[in-house]
Amino acid sequence: ERKTESSSAKELRFFREKDKRMKCIYEDEGLEFGDDTSDEATLVSRFEVATKLCKARISEVFRNIRRARNVQLCFLVDVTGSMQSFINGVRDSIDEILKKVTDDGGAQMMVVAFVAYRDHEDTNQFEVLPFTGVSEFKEFSRRLSASGGDDGPEDVFGGLDAALNLDWSDNCGTKVVFHICDAPCHGTEFHSGMRDNYLSGDPKGRTCKGLFSKLREMGIQYHFGKITSLTDIMIKKFSEAYGEPITDFDLKNVDKITDSVSTAVRSAIEASVSASKKAGGKVRKVRDFTLDSVEPNWAALPEIKGKCMSYEFPKSIEAIKLDVPLERSKAKDATMKVAKNPFAKGAERIAFYGKDLSTYWVKVGPKAGEHKKHEDIVLKENLHLGKDINSAKRYELSNQMQTIAAFLAQKFMDDLKKKRAGEYPKIKFLKIKTLLLADGFSKRFMSFERRFSADTKFVRFTNNAGYHIMEEKALGLGVSMEFVQLIFAFSHYTYKASGRFLMVVDLEGAVRIGSADRAGILLTDPAIHCQDRTRYRPMNFGPDGMKEFFLNHKCNDFCKDLGLEGFVC
């Protein structure tokens, strides 16, 4: 079909879109691309090089993801006089923790260690069990007896130092310290009004900044189990040294140890897997920014003029497979207000609150004439800096990917309606637009979409590396399994409908829970795995990514209604 139009504008557009993708791949690897081409032989040669580069990068990513699922978990526990029930709680919960983390938490292997600490003058100031299996861990903790402690604080720094000196392995990509204590460390900056034999801090000269810098350098994730408010000042100081807020897990009740530690390890695995996806390629600088979750005073912000555009749906799934370029809408004038600071950060982008104040026309009826929008929006900007990464083509390619996912979601709902009676939630994607803002002589590319309404819940259902939300977590968020099963079935549907060519994954969005006719999920920021590894980057993991999905997928009633059972890799 493409060859019959070799002299047409569609032919030129086909080459331009291919060049756009290839150029991004070359740039990401720090390679020279050269001028755009309309020569088929040159394009084929570039495609072959780009495919090899993508295959190598995906292989590296999956090596790192496999490492990320090997876990080392160190329990760092204050074992002075008041802590016996927590020592027992750790021992009694370890079997269930291991089961939760390995069965449905993403770990393929986990070893555990125990660092027990007391205070400087105590007998047996430290008792340390190196990384080992569960039976040895239980036997070690069974022998531990809470004792010691004189003044209020304990030797937390000594315990951290002992934990850092364990045999942390490069073969394990997820390293976790889970710290449980009811008293802060020494030094008046870490507590208020406690009797402290070492008011100036650690007598061995260790510092909070030094210890947490080493934690970060070694790739160890730190989580904290809070028993009393006495540790509040300490954890605030630790967060400053760590470089990010440390989550407090409420352990006033010993029975919460299992769920708290399991949640911490699962989140650590997910963080390690997310970091693994960004491995390799050209090293890029991250832009400077300060997160601010508070919505700005819009009256104080200037209006900025610009242009926006979007893409039309593809004609068919076959057109997607043939790589027929999407039709682009005519650029329209835009007027925006954009918050100074982003409110959220993702793996690839930062997100800003915004207002769309663009004008639009109503042609007929009582409201005929010019009107100004007052729509709340979210604007997204690439996290990394560099002339090539903040160019129009990057935002256009992301726009195209979400447009294709939106088309497939519509096809999914249409086909499901033919097969399934009754009411069930609906899914659709937000409409995404590419924006060029011109503020004086400066130009800024962003993408934007309508902001989720306040009566919805944001939920991450899957990622592009095999993660599926667990029933326990979904129900905890107030989301029924019907929503979860619908999402899983959608990914499976895209795989079959495209003839194993692609799969839409990394599904997250706003869930509206209400009456049957209003219940649904409004999705954003998908990823697409594809047989053509040069498309839908950087989160396209090709056939390997599709296989990861099926490792955790069990067909549900939606899959059965659509005839998806048995259609796997």
Side-chain angles (χ1 to χ4, degrees), residues 48-201:
E48 290 173 351
V49 171
T51 299
K52 289 179 181 178
L53 292 170
C54 291
K55 280 185 176 180
R57 184 64 52 235
I58 291 168
S59 294
E60 181 182 3
V61 165
F62 272 97
R63 281 196 298 273
N64 289 330
I65 287 174
R66 284 191 288 272
R67 284 182 58 251
R69 289 175 175 153
N70 292 334
V71 180
Q72 288 180 297
L73 169 62
C74 167
F75 283 89
L76 173 62
V77 184
D78 171 359
V79 294
T80 53
S82 58
M83 293 291 291
Q84 189 63 53
S85 63
F86 292 93
I87 297 170
N88 297 342
V90 168
R91 181 191 67 233
D92 295 341
S93 64
I94 191 63
D95 284 320
E96 187 63 21
I97 290 168
L98 182 65
K99 184 176 187 302
K100 282 177 174 285
V101 169
T102 54
D103 283 0
D104 53 17
Q108 59 188 9
M109 181 277 290
M110 187 172 82
V111 291
V112 286
F114 202 126
V115 173
Y117 69 90
R118 297 183 176 85
D119 208 357
H120 292 284
E121 280 76 35
D122 290 329
T123 304
N124 291 333
Q125 185 180 354
F126 303 106
E127 295 184 67
V128 177
L129 174 72
F131 287 110
T132 186
V134 167
S135 58
E136 293 85 354
F137 181 92
K138 290 164 72 174
E139 182 59 33
F140 174 85
S141 54
R142 188 174 289 112
R143 295 196 303 268
L144 283 173
S145 177
S147 63
D150 177 21
D151 55 356
E154 310 297 354
D155 186 18
V156 174
F157 281 11
L160 280 168
D161 197 24
L164 286 168
N165 283 299
L166 292 170
D167 185 17
W168 297 97
S169 172
D170 289 339
N171 293 323
C172 293
T174 298
K175 304 176 176 71
V176 182
V177 166
F178 196 98
H179 185 187
I180 303 174
C181 69
D182 62 357
C185 53
H186 290 283
T188 53
E189 65 177 307
F190 298 105
H191 58 78
S192 176
M194 296 184 74
R195 184 170 68 85
D196 189 344
N197 294 338
Y198 302 94
L199 292 172
S200 59

Side-chain angles (χ1 to χ4, degrees), residues 324-459:
V324 177
L326 300 183
E327 296 287 343
R328 191 163 74 172
S329 68
K330 183 179 179 181
K332 295 180 180 179
D333 291 333
T335 303
M336 302 286 176
K337 287 192 175 187
V338 184
K340 180 181 177 182
N341 296 315
F343 68 87
K345 169 187 170 293
E348 298 291 332
R349 291 179 290 178
I350 48 179
F352 298 78
Y353 292 125
K355 293 277 188 182
D356 184 357
L357 304 175
S358 305
T359 56
Y360 66 98
W361 286 86
V362 176
K363 293 182 179 180
V364 296
K367 294 186 178 181
E370 185 180 72
H371 300 268
K372 179 181 280 193
K373 295 179 183 178
H374 286 275
E375 185 172 60
D376 290 331
I377 59 173
V378 172
L379 301 106
K380 297 175 183 178
E381 189 169 33
N382 287 334
L383 174 64
H384 298 90
L385 293 171
K387 180 181 178 182
D388 55 302
I389 203 163
N390 285 291
S391 57
K393 64 179 181 290
R394 299 272 180 168
Y395 291 91
E396 289 170 359
L397 289 170
S398 177
N399 190 326
Q400 291 170 17
M401 179 172 64
Q402 187 154 324
T403 301
I404 288 170
F407 166 75
L408 292 167
Q410 181 175 289
K411 291 279 291 181
F412 169 70
M413 294 309 304
D414 289 344
D415 284 357
L416 189 59
K417 187 177 181 180
K418 298 172 187 174
K419 301 285 186 179
R420 188 180 179 97
E423 295 290 345
Y424 44 86
K426 311 298 188 291
I427 65 170
K428 67 181 295 186
F429 279 86
L430 284 168
K431 178 75 172 179
I432 183 173
K433 297 181 180 179
T434 302
L435 176 68
L436 168 61
L437 291 174
D439 189 6
F441 291 103
S442 65
K443 292 183 178 180
R444 183 182 188 186
F445 286 104
M446 306 180 87
S447 63
F448 75 95
E449 55 199 22
R450 177 164 52 89
R451 196 193 307 182
F452 295 134
S453 60
D455 63 342
T456 59
K457 301 182 180 188
F458 190 85
V459 179

